[in-house]
Amino acid sequence: MSIPKVVKMVVYPVAGYDSMLLNLSGAHGPFFTRNVTIMWTDEGQMGVSEVPGGPKITKIIEGAKDFIIGSSIGEFKNILQKVRSKFAGVDKGGRGNQTYDERTLVHAVTAIETCYLDLLGKHFHLPVAALLGDGQQREKVGVLGYLFYVGDINKTDAPYIRDDDNSDAWGKTRRKPHMTADSIVEEAEAAYERYGFKTFKLKGGVFDGEEEVKAMKALHKEFPDAKLDLDPNGAWSLKQALHYADEMKHDLFYIEDPCGAENGFSGREILSEFSKITHMPVATNMVDTDWRQMNHALELNAISIPLADPHFWTMEGAIRVAQLCNEFNLNWGVHSNNHFDISLAMVANTAAAAPGKIYDVDTHWIWQDGQNLTKNPYKIENGQLTVPKTNEGLGIEVDLAAVKKAHQLYVDNNCGARDDAKGMQCYIPGWKFDPKKPSMVR
Ligand code: GKR
Ligand code: MG
């Protein structure tokens, strides 16, 4: 049996439409960006991946081409090693303070790794989930409903999408403003109707903590059986976090990055104090995002739910985190950013291979649902994604015409890396990011 070789690779910087979602870093702009990579083999197979956008990541993936073209698909681990060493040191600034990741190399490595895994799965007629860690653990993967405060697009001239899906309450409401507790409940109801979520997460760090507590209490009243999470991205001081956590102790199932670094103490040290005092399960995508941070987080017992996004741990790395969680009685979950349906397939396969009891995974897909780059996107039904054991590779067929169109959108709008500060300036002129202040509190 011959082993397929990669003969061509193209990176497509792509853009899609978004709502004006609010967070600690500001407001999402009208477009979100991603890098879609496609590899072709001499047998005509396509392997695909999707990672965060921005030219720095595009450049690294393109800069790895010489290692990739001509390689057999079985060689991928050696190739990833070469990419890591060629580009070591590009991320001098680390992850940064923003709610989103500012690193680049790990995303580029994930882009390359995933294409190879997709190709290997197709070659062996197995889902990617079966190639990761100890193999596929489940077919059904629980997904949470990711709720946001949403700004009013009529307050800006930016070309936000409108009326793109009037098929049901969710399609309509996702482009409308949602700035109050009652409105967040309406959002959740519409999302529940379409997707059947059993867990909801609200992105906080937008309004004063008391207002966000009010929203969580309203959600708990409406969905008493749902598991709830609030994520202010470390905006609160330890003192505030303890106060709000106490107010929500009967409402939340877990809390995410309630506080972070302060007064010379690291985010992990502060979360360790928070965990010891409250005994609440604490999730993070801010202070435990690589193995060095993991070491400190574990020594301090700072958190109990590392949100191991495959986009910044790699797919294999996210599974190593899941194995550790399973052995050490931690809970594994997945973090997300805006994404297309290729990333949805990556997350579904990763979670399907994660051992043990895992938390319902994060996804922003509900805000993009319909903007497909594949001919057969995974569907969220009954709060779950399904990865059939009969799948091959990621289980998706990429729609090249749709990818090229999304690339054109990126080019036509002069898109690049994410900048949430811009969007917020229509509400608060001259708005600037402050990691310790909710974005609407100035
Ligand atoms: O999409 O605005 C957003 C989120 O705030 C995202 O950037 C975060 O990285 O979802 C993420 C989180 O859980 O913190
Ligand atoms: Mg978070």
Side-chain angles (χ1 to χ4, degrees):
M1 183 171 72
S2 71
I3 312 290
K5 279 190 166 37
V6 179
V7 290
K8 184 178 162 191
M9 181 186 87
V10 180
V11 192
Y12 295 94
V14 292
Y17 294 96
D18 199 6
S19 299
M20 193 179 184
L21 306 181
L22 305 180
N23 65 20
L24 182 71
S25 297
H28 289 203
F31 305 107
F32 72 100
T33 64
R34 306 289 281 175
N35 280 294
V36 170
T37 305
I38 306 181
M39 292 184 192
W40 285 262
T41 68
D42 51 358
E43 295 186 357
Q45 288 285 19
M46 277 161 93
V48 65
S49 68
E50 176 187 338
V51 295
K56 287 186 188 157
I57 297 174
T58 322
K59 233 173 120 190
I60 301 176
I61 308 170
E62 276 170 349
K65 226 178 204 166
D66 286 351
F67 301 137
I68 293 164
I69 304 299
S71 66
S72 99
I73 58 173
E75 281 180 90
F76 82 103
K77 292 200 181 184
N78 294 339
I79 287 160
L80 297 184
Q81 258 190 56
K82 288 184 192 167
V83 177
R84 283 191 176 103
S85 77
K86 176 171 175 185
F87 294 98
V90 287
D91 288 321
K92 290 197 180 62
R95 189 180 180 280
N97 264 334
Q98 296 281 357
T99 66
Y100 47 91
D101 207 328
E102 292 177 331
R103 292 169 300 178
T104 55
L105 178 56
V106 73
H107 299 301
V109 168
T110 304
I112 297 165
E113 175 211 39
T114 304
C115 286
Y116 278 108
L117 285 169
D118 190 22
L119 288 169
L120 279 165
K122 285 173 177 157
H123 181 67
F124 290 121
H125 307 292
L126 288 169
V128 166
L131 303 175
L132 294 168
D134 296 321
Q136 186 159 359
Q137 308 290 313
R138 62 182 67 73
E139 288 200 334
K140 298 279 181 196
V141 169
V143 174
L144 59 70
Y146 200 155
L147 309 171
F148 279 84
Y149 291 104
V150 186
D152 185 352
I153 55 177
N154 295 318
K155 290 203 158 70
T156 150
D157 294 335
Y160 285 94
I161 194 165
R162 298 159 194 260
D163 295 325
D164 59 316
D165 177 2
N166 287 322
S167 65
D168 65 4
W170 173 252
K172 289 179 202 159
T173 211
R174 67 181 178 169
R175 308 298 179 217
K176 301 216 171 104
H178 292 279
M179 300 292 262
T180 63
D182 287 348
S183 185
I184 290 294
V185 172
E186 276 167 36
E187 216 186 77
E189 278 166 343
Y192 177 78
E193 262 169 52
R194 187 187 284 195
Y195 302 103
F197 294 118
K198 315 273 187 298
T199 303
F200 286 105
K201 157 173 169 174
L202 174 64
K203 172 56 57 181
V206 177
F207 292 106
D208 177 75
E210 291 300 352
E211 181 59 32
E212 297 184 356
V213 167
K214 200 168 136 194
M216 296 319 293
K217 287 192 172 292
L219 280 171
H220 181 59
K221 194 164 171 220
E222 189 62 24
F223 296 93
D225 298 327
K227 297 175 179 167
L228 301 182
D229 168 33
L230 173 62
D231 175 13
N233 283 112
W236 303 332
S237 67
L238 175 61
K239 194 172 165 209
Q240 288 171 321
L242 291 172
H243 172 69
Y244 300 138
D246 189 53
E247 289 189 305
M248 292 184 288
K249 61 177 181 277
H250 301 302
D251 307 296
L252 295 190
F253 189 73
Y254 63 106
I255 195 161
E256 185 169 332
D257 288 308
C259 36
E262 68 184 38
N263 302 329
F265 293 95
S266 72
R268 283 166 294 279
E269 286 167 334
I270 295 295
L271 284 175
S272 166
E273 289 186 40
F274 177 87
S275 298
K276 274 183 202 141
I277 298 168
T278 61
H279 299 284
M280 251 189 183
V282 176
T284 185
N285 60 282
M286 300 189 79
V287 303
D288 185 2
T289 63
D290 61 29
W291 289 110
R292 187 175 171 194
Q293 292 183 350
M294 177 70 86
N295 179 23
H296 292 290
L298 292 185
E299 276 182 357
L300 289 164
N301 268 325
I303 57 107
S304 50
I305 312 158
L307 298 175
D309 187 338
H311 300 86
F312 65 68
W313 277 97
T314 74
M315 291 185 84
E316 294 254 33
I319 291 303
R320 282 200 288 278
V321 175
Q323 290 169 330
L324 178 144
C325 288
N326 190 32
E327 301 291 345
F328 289 15
N329 296 322
L330 299 168
N331 293 105
W332 185 85
V334 172
H335 155 272
S336 73
N337 279 307
N338 289 111
H339 61 85
F340 286 103
D341 41 343
I342 301 168
S343 279
L344 189 66
M346 288 166 62
V347 165
N349 276 272
T350 311
K357 276 181 153 184
I358 63 172
Y359 271 37
D360 288 349
V361 301
D362 289 24
T363 171
H364 283 54
W365 176 241
I366 61 174
W367 300 94
Q368 271 67 51
D369 192 353
Q371 299 180 53
N372 305 336
L373 300 186
T374 75
K375 295 179 183 166
N376 52 346
Y378 280 74
K379 284 195 181 69
I380 304 172
E381 283 165 340
N382 217 1
Q384 292 175 319
L385 293 162
T386 305
V387 185
K389 291 197 170 142
T390 48
N391 265 5
E392 301 201 353
L394 288 172
I396 46 175
E397 191 187 341
V398 67
D399 180 344
L400 204 48
V403 172
K404 288 183 178 167
K405 204 168 154 209
H407 173 60
Q408 203 52 50
L409 189 68
Y410 182 97
V411 173
D412 292 346
N413 291 283
N414 203 12
C415 295
R418 182 172 163 183
D419 177 5
D420 289 8
K422 265 195 213 152
M424 205 56 171
Q425 288 162 1
C426 72
Y427 275 107
I428 303 172
W431 186 92
K432 281 204 188 82
F433 173 62
D434 178 342
K436 282 294 167 201
K437 268 199 194 137
S439 54
M440 292 294 282
V441 178
R442 285 292 182 278

